[in-house]
Amino acid sequence: MLGLSRAGLLTTAEVSTADAARFAALTAQRADRVPLQHLTGRAAFRYLELAVGPGVFVPRPETEQLAGWALSRLAGATAPVVVDLGAGSGALALSIAHEHAGARVTAVEGDPGAIEWTRHNAAARATLGDPPVEVLEGDMTDPRLLADLDGAVDLVVSNPPYVPDGARVPREVADHDPPLALWGGPDGLDVVRGLLVTAARLLKSGGWLGIEHADQQGGSLPALVRAHGGFADVQDHPDLAGRPRFTTARRG
Ligand SMILES: C[S@@+](CC[C@H](N)C(=O)[O-])C[C@H]1O[C@@H](n2cnc3c(N)ncnc32)[C@H](O)[C@@H]1O
């Protein structure tokens, strides 16, 4: 807001009346549960700073671990094909492109409002020298989505909407994250069921799938992947707080 670094803030002599009033207004918005990232317009994710605001899901620190797992699966691959289903701000897709040289990444987003943010962030990263990420408007459950990549994808990663309908969420989430980013039907897994079909079609034999989920889905999501068939090495992973957070599997 003042255009100062944190260290500069400590040593600045004076704050103008106008800036003080603006700071008070921002503080009042935060007290009214507007997410901090909407007030600053920025969200940190791994090595990136992404533009966020009304209409797009604010990327969460937990998802950084899913990105880390995805990058570990790609280690050593020269030109892996990667698809991020439900890209939002582009956190996963753009981090993978930034951190794995040569990755050919496609970011799919179904919300016409959110995809404006995906496109904006992808263009901003390309301007900074990152490899281009293809941004595609589409439904991750569409049986024709990315049909040209059938059986050709090395890794599918997704942080899909997974909150069970009617679950209580903080006001920052309920009032400011887009509904399409959150709600996943009675057990939270409605979109995941369609995403599994898409992932199984896109992945090559030996390709990897990683899906983030809610705390209470650490048993149900791996069970769904096993029941789908065609996947091996199904595993669930905790986040840094020790809560079940994402499921991974290898296409058989
Ligand atoms: C929880 S947010 C995750 C966004 C981003 N990947 C992240 O981790 O910060 C889920 C995203 O999936 C998108 N989405 C929901 N249903 C979709 C569908 N059927 N097809 C494509 N995108 C979808 C939402 O609009 C939202 O941007």
Side-chain angles (χ1 to χ4, degrees):
M1 191 191 92
L2 296 175
L4 294 170
S5 66
R6 286 185 191 187
L9 196 57
L10 293 174
T11 54
T12 191
E14 199 172 300
V15 175
S16 72
T17 311
D19 283 337
R22 174 135 172 74
F23 182 71
L26 287 168
T27 308
Q29 282 182 279
R30 182 67 195 104
D32 196 29
R33 309 289 293 271
V34 177
L36 179 64
Q37 295 88 343
H38 281 210
L39 299 176
T40 62
R42 316 296 297 169
F45 190 86
R46 290 180 70 88
Y47 297 96
L48 308 183
E49 202 180 63
L50 300 162
V52 293
V56 73
F57 181 85
V58 173
R60 307 293 207 269
E62 301 90 281
T63 309
E64 293 180 324
Q65 274 176 274
L66 175 58
W69 168 85
L71 286 155
S72 73
R73 291 298 95 197
L74 298 178
T78 45
V81 178
V82 178
V83 175
D84 173 9
L85 296 173
S89 64
L92 284 165
L94 296 174
S95 287
I96 291 169
H98 178 72
E99 294 184 53
H100 188 98
R104 291 181 285 154
V105 184
T106 301
V108 176
E109 174 53 52
D111 181 335
I115 200 169
E116 294 305 319
W117 294 92
T118 326
R119 289 194 179 111
H120 172 87
N121 283 320
R125 290 310 313 171
T127 306
L128 291 169
D130 278 358
V133 165
E134 187 186 350
V135 179
L136 178 73
E137 184 165 356
D139 179 345
M140 68 172 96
T141 68
D142 180 350
R144 297 170 311 265
L145 180 76
L146 289 169
D148 52 321
L149 291 182
D150 277 2
V153 174
D154 295 278
L155 186 135
V156 171
V157 71
S158 183
N159 176 16
Y162 54 64
V163 183
D165 289 353
R168 282 175 65 86
V169 293
R171 274 188 56 207
E172 283 88 344
V173 178
D175 296 348
H176 298 283
D177 279 321
L180 200 63
L182 299 177
W183 306 110
D187 64 354
L189 297 172
D190 277 3
V191 178
V192 173
R193 290 185 178 88
L195 138 62
L196 276 180
V197 178
T198 301
R201 173 172 58 77
L202 293 177
L203 284 168
K204 61 170 65 160
S205 178
W208 287 95
L209 170 65
I211 308 175
E212 186 170 313
H213 60 67
D215 304 11
Q216 66 271 39
Q217 293 161 349
S220 53
L221 185 39
L224 204 61
V225 178
R226 288 190 187 98
H228 181 277
F231 289 100
D233 298 337
V234 182
Q235 276 187 44
D236 204 65
H237 305 254
D239 61 22
L240 290 176
R243 295 171 300 214
R245 185 55 63 216
F246 65 96
T247 299
T248 60
R250 187 172 51 80
R251 185 79 171 99

